[in-house]
Structure formats: C-alpha cells, structure tokens
Amino acid sequence: VYARVVAAPPRRGGGVVLVDPRVRPSAGSDLAAMAHGCADLGLDVVCVASPEGVALSRAVAAAAPPGLRVVDGREIATADGVVVGLFLTHDVPDGLPLRATLEAVRGQGGVTLVPHPESAGVPPPDALRALGDLIDCRELATGAMGAPGIAAVRDARRLGVAATSGSGAPDVGAVGGAGMMMRGFTDGRDFVEALAEAEPVVPRRGRRARARDRRRGRNS
C-alpha cells in the first residue's frame, strides 16, 4: 500500500502525507507527548478534535515539532448526536440542531465528519440520511479495528463514499492505531477531494527514518 501510494503522481496539494484524521485528547492529556509521539510515528498531519474545542488543538500545535502539521477541530455534541468539525477557525458550540451545526462548520470552510458509532454517540441514521449533502466524510475504522476496519474503508471508497480511518486516540499511547496515506492537501475542501484516492493504513514506526536513510543512500 505504501509503495503504491508513493508511486502515484502528485496532485494539487503535492506530495504524499500520512494522516491521523482524528485524535481526541483532553486538557488533562500530555499534549507535548502526544505531538512528539505523532512525529516519532512518522505522521505528517494530525487532526485534533476534542470536546474541549480548538484551543486544545492549538495547544497541540504549539507543542508540535517541526514537520508535523496540526489541523484544528472539535468534537461537537449536537442536539441529535456527536459529529466532528475539522479545519475550524473557531469553535462551534454544543447543543445546536444537527443541521445548524453542520452548516456552521461548513460556513467557516470546515470539514464535517461523522465519527465511528463505537467511539461516539452519533446522530441516528435517518437524521444522517436527511442531511447527507452536508456530511463530508464518515469514519469507518478506528485504531481498535485492525484489518476489518481497513477493509471497510477500502470498500466504502470503491462505492464512492468519502471514508476515513483514524485512531481516535485520547493519549500518546493510542496514537497510530489507524491512519490514511493520501496526497498532500491545502485546505478542508482539498482534504475531502484527496480522500477519494487515499489508502487506509496502520502507521508503522520508523517510516520517516527509513525514508531519510533511502535519501542518504541515493546521495552517497
């Protein structure tokens, strides 16, 4: 999978990046350890979506080492269930109707994501169907699901569904359970477009070090 994605021609965002589309730390988490754990794992991008809002994702970004991009997000408790907003510029409050929440995320250029139902109390199916045009992607695998989750994301992609695979990690020990290898992206809309060709993966420790060693070998 890694070889196939790396060999693909770069698109608008350029390059290939390893992304964890959803981690979920709390204010009590060691945010610096989480940021450095993501970098040590070889992640290029991590999307931070805590119930405590974008202030927490910005704290992770402030602690992140060079080379790790942090996307601001929030887990939002709507009147109908939990959804996630990514690429946010400011918080969307809890308690709004589902439609108003999705529109508020979209209104600031953000991405709407429905987390896996095993990881959050998501809105009921009829509500999600009724507002499908406002939902950008669905999380079909989390860090605990392994190969079956990876297969579910691939099958969804073949059916034209924008699906993600993310760790949902609350702390550094759970980071890297699942991720996406995808072309580089510039913003939220570009992220959603890039998902159409992305591959779900289980990040492997040492990827960045191996890539560095290969470059040194070519230059020697």
Side-chain angles (χ1 to χ4, degrees):
V1 169
Y2 278 83
R4 184 165 69 251
V5 176
V6 170
R11 299 290 299 279
R12 178 152 57 102
V16 175
V17 291
L18 180 58
V19 184
D20 189 331
R22 188 174 71 94
V23 300
R24 191 182 180 275
S26 66
S29 303
D30 187 333
L31 302 182
M34 174 169 271
H36 284 268
C38 289
D40 290 345
L41 185 60
L43 291 171
D44 301 294
V45 185
V46 60
C47 302
V48 180
S50 164
E52 295 168 65
V54 299
L56 204 65
S57 59
R58 289 171 183 167
V60 174
L68 179 67
R69 178 182 177 184
V70 178
V71 172
D72 290 336
R74 185 174 188 230
E75 182 180 293
I76 310 163
T78 80
D80 304 285
V82 173
V83 295
V84 168
L86 301 176
F87 295 87
L88 299 182
T89 60
H90 56 273
D91 280 326
V92 175
D94 290 332
L96 297 175
L98 179 58
R99 176 182 288 277
T101 300
L102 297 175
E103 290 176 341
V105 171
R106 285 282 197 85
Q108 56 181 284
V111 170
T112 55
L113 181 151
V114 179
H116 195 281
E118 290 184 4
S119 66
V122 302
D126 57 343
L128 295 175
R129 283 194 295 269
L131 297 172
D133 59 330
L134 291 174
I135 296 170
D136 292 310
C137 49
R138 292 166 168 80
E139 184 181 71
L140 298 187
T142 66
M145 300 183 73
I150 296 293
V153 175
R154 288 181 180 151
D155 289 343
R157 192 188 66 176
R158 293 188 188 102
L159 294 172
V161 176
T164 68
S165 171
S167 71
D171 53 48
V172 65
V175 166
M180 300 294 290
M181 185 72 82
M182 55 201 297
R183 68 165 175 83
F185 47 86
T186 56
D187 55 21
R189 292 302 98 200
D190 198 21
F191 171 84
V192 174
E193 291 179 12
L195 281 177
E197 301 172 356
E199 282 285 348
V201 296
V202 177
R204 298 176 298 186
R205 295 191 181 278
R207 179 184 73 94
R208 188 166 288 169
R210 287 194 295 273
R212 184 173 59 246
D213 291 343
R214 286 196 297 272
R215 287 195 296 271
R216 286 174 177 169
R218 286 197 300 270
N219 293 333
S220 60

